Amino acid sequence: MALTRAQIVEGLVKILGEEKVITDEQVLKESSIDRFRKYEDICGVYTQPIPAAVVKIENAQEVSAVLKFANENIINVVPRTGQSATEGGLETAVENSIVVDGSGMNKIVKIDPYNMQATCECGVSLQVLDDLLREQGYTTGHSPQSKPLAQMGGLVATRSIGQLSTLYGGIEDMVVGVEAVFPNGEITRIKNVPRRAAGPDIRHVIIGNEGALCYITEVTVKIFKYMPENNIFLGYTLENMKPGLEILREVMVEGYKPSVARLYDPEDGAYHFSHFADGKCVLIFMAEGPKAIAEATAKAIEEIAAKYDECKKVDTQFIKTWFDHLNWDPKKVAEERIEIAETQNIGFTTEVSGNWDIIHDIYEACCERVRNEIPDITMMGGHSSHSYVNGTNMYFMYYYNLVDVEPEEEITKYHNPINKIIVEETLKAGGSMVHHHGVGKHRTHWIKEEYESSYYILETLKKAFDPNGIMNMGTILPIKK
Amino acid sequence: MKMMVCFKAVPDLEMLSEEDWAADSNLKVDLSFVRNILNCFDESALEMALKLSDVSEGFDVLLNLTAFTIGDQKSDTYLKTLYALRFKKAVRIESNEDLRFFPDVTATVISQYVREINHQDVIVLGRQSGEGDNGKTPLLVAEMLEWPCITQVIRIEPDTEGSLKVTNMVDGGTLTQTITTPCVLSVGNAPNSYLRVPTLKDKMKYGKTPIEVLDIQQFNIQALLDDCRHGCELKGLEKISHKRQGIIIEGETPREKARILYDSYLKERLEKL
Ligand SMILES: Cc1cc2nc3c(=O)[nH]c(=O)nc-3n(C[C@H](O)[C@H](O)[C@H](O)COP(=O)(O)OP(=O)(O)OC[C@H]3O[C@@H](n4cnc5c(N)ncnc54)[C@H](O)[C@@H]3O)c2cc1C
C-alpha cells in the first residue's frame, strides 16, 4: 500500500533528521514547478501536485538512503540543484513526491591544475567555481546564460551548453568523471581518465539523464587556461539569415574554432542590438585561447566574412559591451517577474538543432507558423548559438500577451501550441527537437519520434536503472497512462 | 481630450562596466556602445496614458494621444511601437544636439510645439531622466505655458472632457485631486513602470504610420543653446565610492545564522521602528 504523506515525511525524518526535511507549504508549492510555469508562480497559482517534502541532502550516503526508501515505497523523486530548469524537469508530476535538493552539497573538492581538472559536489554554483578558477588563471570554459543560477549537478543532468561551446564543447565534452546514485541506493563512480576504450562510454548514461535515471552527487570537469587578454570580438550585420548561416558553416567546415559563433535574426536581435543594427541580422564571433591562435582564428573569420557583400563589420566594442551583460542573475529573474506581472507579456524559448541543409527551412517554417497561428504574439524570432561541423542549433524566442487567460490556461493556450509547432516542424525536417535545455516534461509526447528506432535503447536504460519508475516521473519519457 | 506624452530614449547605463565610466580628455563618458532604453519615468508616463485611454471610453471622454520626443532616428523604433499601441500621433524633433544638461532648451521646444503647432489639453512628462537628472523640464514647460503643474504623479483617471482625477505623492501620503485642463503632469515613482507590448499584428497594422519629423532649428533655440553652453562649464569628474562595509555571519546551521542576524543586527533597529 502506498505510504501516506505523513508516513513519507516520517520516513525521511528518520533518515535525515528534522532539520533537513522541509514541509513548509509555500516552499512545497514553489518546489512543484520550474520556469516552464513561471506565470503560475508569479500569480501564486500552483496546479501541479504538491510534493510531500523537500529534503536537503549533504552527501552521497544520504542520497542513497533517500532513494532506497523512495524505491522501496514507489515514491517519485525529483532531483534538484540550481532550480533554473526551463522545461518542466522540476515539476512534481505525481502526488507526494520527494524533491531531493542538492544545493547544499556545495564543496569544491579539488582543483588539480597539473592534470587540468576540477572536482566538485553537485550543488557547486558554476559561477562560484569558474570565478575561483579564473582567480588562479583557469576556467571551466562553460558559460551558459544561467551561469549565476545553475549548479554542477543540474548542468550535467541537462546536457547543458554554454556560449563558448564552439571551442570548449557542451558539458558532455567537459565531464571527465562523475559520481551518481541509482534508485536502488547504489553509489557509483566513474573514474577520471583522459580517455578509455573499455566498452561503451557509460558517462553518457548519466550526462543528460535529467534526474530520470540517477542522482548526480559529484562531477569532475576539465579546466582550461584562462587568457581573456587575447579575446578578439567580431561583429557583423546582414540583411538575411541565410548568408549568415552560410558564413557560420564555412567557418566551421574550414576548421576554425571561435569560442562564440552566433547569428541573430532581426526580431531576436532587436532587444540587444537595435542601437547599431535596427532591423538587421547580427553575426558575432569571439576568438580566444593562446594569442597566435586567437589572432589566426579572427583573421580567417574576417576573410570568410569579407567574401559576402551584405556582411558589414561593426565596431567590436558593441559586441564586447553586449557580451558582458548576457547572463541572468537572480536580480534579473526578479525583475522579469515584475515586468511580466505588469505588462502581462511573457517570453519563452525552444531550442532545436539540425544539419546545415535543413536549419534555415526549420527557422523559416517555425517563425511563419507561430506568427500566423498563435494569437497575441508580440515577438517571434531566433538565433543560432552553437555550431558544429555538420550543423547548428536554432534557439527560438517568443513573447505573447496574455489575453483573457487564467494563470492555469497560459500553457495550453500559448506555450504548448508554440512548442508543438517548433517540435513538429523540426522533426519533420529531420532535426532534433531539443538542443540543450533537456526534454523536461513538455516535449515527452514526441520522444519516440525524436529517437526513432533508437527509442529501444532509451526505454531499456530506463527499465534497467529505474525499474520502478521512481526517478522524476514524466521526464524524458511520458508517464504511462 | 488631447494629451501629449513626452519621452526620451536614454543609454542603458547598467550596461557600463567600471572601466567604461572613465571619462575621455573632453570629460565625456563614451555611451555610444550601449543600447538605448526608455527613460524609466517616461515609460511610466506612457503606460499611464495608455491605461487612461483604456478606461476613458467608459467616461465618454475621447482621449487623443500624441507621443513626442527630441532626438535622432534611433528614437523611431519607440515611436513606431507607440503607434502600434494606438497613439494617434508620433512626433520627433530631429536633433543631434547634446541637450542632456539643458532642460531650458528642451522645455522651450516642447512648449513652442504645443503653443504653435499642435495644441494640447494635457502634457505628461517623466519627472527626470537618468542622463541629465535635472528634474526641471516638466516645471519649465508649465511655467512657459503658464499652466499648472502637478508633480510626483502616480495615477491619472478620467473625469470629464475638461478635467482629470490626478493622484500624486505628497509628504507622508498621496493626494487625489480633480484638475481642470490645461495642465502639465510630471510623473514620479508610479507603481507601474513598464510599457505594455504591442502584438505583431498591431505592429504590422499601425506601426508603419508616418512619424512627424520636425527640425529642431525651426524652434529658434540657437541663442538659448549658446547661452546655456556658456552658462555652465564642466570642470572635472570624480567617482563617488559607494563601497559599504560587510560582515559574514558565521554559524553551524541557517537557524543559528538567522538567530545571530536577528539578535545582533536587526532586533535593535526593529524595536526603534
Ligand atoms: C535565464 C536562463 C538562461 C539559461 N541559459 C542556458 C544556457 O545558456 N545553456 C543551457 O544549457 N541551459 C540554459 N538554461 C537552462 C538551465 O539553466 C540549465 O538546464 C541548467 O543546466 C540547469 O541547472 P540547475 O542546477 O539549475 O538544475 P535544476 O534546474 O535544479 O534541474 C534541472 C534538471 O536536472 C535535474 N537535476 C538537477 N540536479 C540533479 C542531480 N544532482 N542529479 C540528477 N538530476 C538532477 C532536475 O531533476 C531537472 O530535470 C537557462 C535557464 C535560464 C533560466
Side-chain angles (χ1 to χ4, degrees):
Chain A
M1 233 199 26
L3 295 189
T4 63
R5 215 173 160 75
Q7 286 169 326
I8 294 172
V9 172
E10 199 184 317
L12 292 168
V13 168
K14 246 190 225 153
I15 298 168
L16 298 169
E18 227 166 273
E19 280 268 320
K20 294 182 188 166
V21 181
I22 302 168
T23 52
D24 174 85
E25 199 181 327
Q26 190 55 29
V27 172
L28 295 183
K29 281 181 178 168
E30 287 167 11
S31 300
S32 68
I33 53 162
D34 61 28
R35 286 175 59 84
F36 195 88
R37 292 184 190 268
K38 64 185 171 191
Y39 187 58
E40 290 183 5
D41 189 27
I42 290 166
C43 299
V45 173
Y46 298 93
T47 57
Q48 297 309 289
I50 303 303
V54 174
V55 296
K56 297 280 212 181
I57 45 88
E58 281 179 9
N59 53 55
Q61 286 67 33
E62 284 184 353
V63 177
S64 168
V66 171
L67 261 52
K68 240 168 126 178
F69 168 69
N71 200 33
E72 278 159 12
N73 295 291
I74 319 289
I75 305 162
N76 181 40
V77 167
V78 178
R80 178 175 93 181
T81 51
Q83 250 178 297
S84 67
T86 54
E87 306 303 324
L90 295 179
E91 284 173 17
T92 45
V94 297
E95 289 297 335
N96 294 342
S97 305
I98 306 169
V99 174
V100 180
D101 185 302
S103 59
M105 285 185 69
N106 55 9
K107 274 197 281 300
I108 297 176
V109 180
K110 188 175 182 189
I111 290 179
D112 177 358
Y114 192 74
N115 293 310
M116 294 297 274
Q117 53 196 30
T119 301
C120 45
E121 292 183 334
C122 60
V124 168
S125 142
L126 175 59
Q127 183 82 53
V128 170
L129 173 66
D130 212 49
D131 286 353
L132 187 78
L133 283 168
R134 285 181 181 196
E135 280 171 21
Q136 303 174 22
Y138 302 98
T139 174
T140 57
H142 201 38
S143 183
Q145 223 185 353
S146 53
K147 188 173 171 180
L149 310 168
Q151 299 171 2
M152 294 311 283
L155 287 159
V156 174
T158 51
R159 284 186 89 82
S160 62
I161 200 164
Q163 291 134 9
L164 314 174
S165 68
T166 319
L167 179 62
Y168 298 100
I171 194 83
E172 67 277 17
D173 302 301
M174 301 163 175
V175 171
V176 181
V178 59
E179 179 189 76
V181 186
F182 283 80
N184 59 0
E186 192 76 36
I187 302 174
T188 60
R189 287 186 82 88
I190 299 178
K191 64 184 172 186
N192 304 326
V193 289
R195 183 178 189 267
R196 56 180 177 166
D201 191 341
I202 51 173
R203 286 176 300 183
H204 292 282
V205 172
I206 293 164
I207 301 172
N209 88 80
E210 294 184 47
L213 294 179
C214 61
Y215 197 103
I216 299 162
T217 43
E218 191 189 281
V219 178
T220 299
V221 287
K222 294 173 195 164
I223 60 174
F224 303 89
K225 280 224 139 171
Y226 181 55
M227 296 172 269
E229 64 282 6
N230 299 335
N231 291 357
I232 304 173
F233 286 93
L234 297 168
Y236 302 90
T237 60
L238 293 137
E239 300 302 322
N240 299 293
M241 286 292 271
K242 189 109 202 204
L245 289 167
E246 283 303 321
I247 298 173
L248 279 180
R249 179 183 171 278
E250 202 173 327
V251 168
M252 299 309 299
V253 170
E254 292 305 318
Y256 296 106
K257 292 228 170 284
S259 53
V260 176
R262 294 169 90 94
L263 173 68
Y264 283 80
D265 78 356
E267 286 72 23
D268 192 2
Y271 176 75
H272 311 271
F273 312 121
S274 58
H275 53 304
F276 68 88
D278 199 18
K280 295 207 172 8
C281 301
V282 176
L283 180 64
I284 289 163
F285 294 99
M286 177 162 88
E288 63 171 279
K291 196 163 188 283
I293 293 182
E295 282 174 0
T297 306
K299 185 167 169 279
I301 292 170
E302 290 212 67
E303 280 165 15
I304 291 171
K307 290 196 280 182
Y308 293 77
D309 282 344
E310 72 166 79
C311 188
K312 304 266 180 293
K313 197 167 177 201
V314 298
D315 195 315
T316 53
Q317 188 61 34
F318 282 121
I319 311 300
K320 194 183 169 310
T321 307
W322 162 78
F323 192 71
D324 288 344
H325 293 84
L326 208 49
N327 288 349
W328 277 62
D329 56 10
K331 182 171 161 242
K332 205 156 163 182
V333 173
E335 281 169 3
E336 187 205 34
R337 286 175 70 95
I338 298 170
E339 192 167 351
I340 294 169
E342 281 188 14
T343 59
Q344 293 295 299
N345 181 263
I346 195 164
F348 289 95
T349 61
T350 304
E351 19 64 63
V352 301
S353 71
N355 290 350
W356 293 116
D357 61 347
I358 56 170
I359 199 71
H360 187 253
D361 293 345
I362 292 174
Y363 162 74
E364 290 221 305
C366 294
C367 285
E368 191 179 322
R369 280 193 59 195
V370 170
R371 282 176 196 144
N372 290 330
E373 293 175 27
I374 306 294
D376 314 312
I377 280 283
T378 60
M379 184 274 200
M380 170 70 192
H383 63 257
S384 148
S385 39
H386 308 279
S387 283
Y388 312 88
V389 75
N390 58 336
T392 189
N393 78 314
M394 191 49 66
Y395 190 86
F396 290 105
M397 299 270 308
Y398 41 87
Y399 281 78
Y400 40 82
N401 282 335
L402 299 155
V403 182
D404 299 330
V405 279
E406 296 298 320
E408 54 272 37
E409 294 164 348
E410 178 257 327
I411 288 174
T412 41
K413 182 170 177 189
Y414 301 107
H415 198 165
N416 281 344
I418 297 175
N419 248 345
K420 186 168 187 286
I421 290 174
I422 297 173
V423 168
E424 283 179 359
E425 287 298 327
T426 305
L427 291 174
K428 194 168 79 188
S432 169
M433 66 168 186
V434 192
H435 178 263
H436 61 264
H437 283 169
V439 180
K441 294 198 173 65
H442 299 276
R443 282 186 264 183
T444 54
H445 329 290
W446 300 280
I447 197 73
K448 281 191 182 161
E449 283 105 308
E450 168 69 27
Y451 273 75
E452 300 173 345
S453 59
S454 65
Y455 182 73
Y456 165 73
I457 305 173
L458 178 73
E459 205 183 22
T460 308
L461 273 178
K462 179 74 178 172
K463 277 187 201 147
F465 291 113
D466 182 22
N468 294 335
I470 61 141
M471 293 302 286
N472 212 349
M473 287 182 199
T475 300
I476 304 182
L477 298 161
I479 295 179
K480 286 204 181 107
K481 294 262 155 65
Chain B
M1 179 183 291
K2 290 186 77 181
M3 174 178 277
M4 183 167 102
V5 189
C6 303
F7 74 91
K8 185 166 161 187
V10 293
D12 182 357
L13 298 179
E14 283 200 11
M15 284 186 82
L16 292 182
S17 60
E18 185 111 15
E19 41 305 358
D20 291 337
W21 277 104
D24 63 17
S25 54
N26 295 322
L27 294 177
K28 287 224 159 129
V29 174
D30 188 358
L31 300 172
S32 60
F33 296 110
V34 296
R35 65 170 191 175
N36 280 325
I37 52 171
L38 280 174
N39 175 39
C40 63
F41 294 113
D42 300 350
E43 188 169 355
S44 301
L46 289 162
E47 179 57 30
M48 219 178 260
L50 286 167
K51 284 216 165 66
L52 179 69
S53 175
D54 292 342
V55 289
S56 283
E57 277 176 34
F59 279 70
D60 281 334
V61 178
L62 222 84
L63 196 66
N64 182 318
L65 290 177
T66 294
F68 179 99
T69 190
I70 305 175
D72 63 16
Q73 253 183 344
K74 282 187 193 149
S75 305
D76 285 358
T77 110
Y78 299 102
L79 292 165
K80 284 181 201 163
T81 300
L82 293 167
Y83 267 135
L85 290 172
R86 316 296 264 279
F87 270 70
K88 282 274 166 342
K89 201 180 182 85
V91 184
R92 177 166 64 82
I93 309 300
E94 171 75 34
S95 163
N96 293 317
E97 302 284 356
D98 181 2
L99 300 179
R100 281 177 302 174
F101 303 103
F102 307 138
D104 304 63
V105 178
T106 307
T108 302
V109 175
I110 296 171
S111 54
Q112 249 190 62
Y113 177 80
V114 169
R115 203 183 300 117
E116 292 165 18
I117 301 172
N118 187 358
H119 296 275
Q120 298 292 324
D121 300 306
V122 184
I123 303 176
V124 189
L125 310 91
R127 57 177 279 196
Q128 71 197 76
S129 94
E131 268 191 315
D133 267 336
N134 306 294
K136 281 186 180 171
T137 309
L139 297 162
L140 289 169
V141 169
E143 191 176 282
M144 288 171 190
L145 291 169
E146 296 181 356
W147 292 2
C149 178
I150 311 293
T151 58
Q152 300 282 10
V153 171
I154 57 164
R155 192 164 57 243
I156 316 172
E157 292 160 285
D159 191 48
T160 67
E161 190 58 53
S163 62
L164 288 168
K165 258 167 77 180
V166 177
T167 304
N168 66 329
M169 300 216 287
V170 289
D171 280 348
T174 60
L175 177 69
T176 302
Q177 311 170 73
T178 305
I179 307 289
T180 37
T181 59
C183 61
V184 172
L185 304 179
S186 164
V187 171
N189 274 322
N192 271 38
S193 57
Y194 289 104
L195 181 66
R196 65 190 65 183
V197 186
T199 60
L200 284 179
K201 288 205 171 83
D202 283 344
K203 273 193 202 166
M204 297 292 285
K205 199 161 160 195
Y206 306 102
K208 298 202 169 94
T209 318
I211 294 163
E212 182 177 304
V213 181
L214 302 172
D215 194 327
I216 196 160
Q217 294 309 332
Q218 96 181 56
F219 293 86
N220 300 320
I221 43 113
Q222 201 51 52
L224 179 59
L225 197 55
D226 292 341
D227 257 9
C228 291
R229 282 197 187 118
H230 291 133
C232 72
E233 191 189 341
L234 184 60
K235 291 281 190 193
L237 286 172
E238 206 173 303
K239 195 167 165 257
I240 305 166
S241 174
H242 286 297
K243 277 197 189 143
R244 290 168 68 179
Q245 242 186 350
I247 291 163
I248 296 173
I249 296 173
E250 306 280 355
E252 283 295 309
T253 60
R255 192 186 294 273
E256 191 188 326
K257 290 181 201 168
R259 169 64 46 204
I260 299 170
L261 173 69
Y262 179 74
D263 288 344
S264 315
Y265 301 98
L266 297 180
K267 197 168 161 211
E268 202 185 319
R269 288 182 194 204
L270 290 171
E271 278 166 2
K272 278 193 200 142
L273 283 180

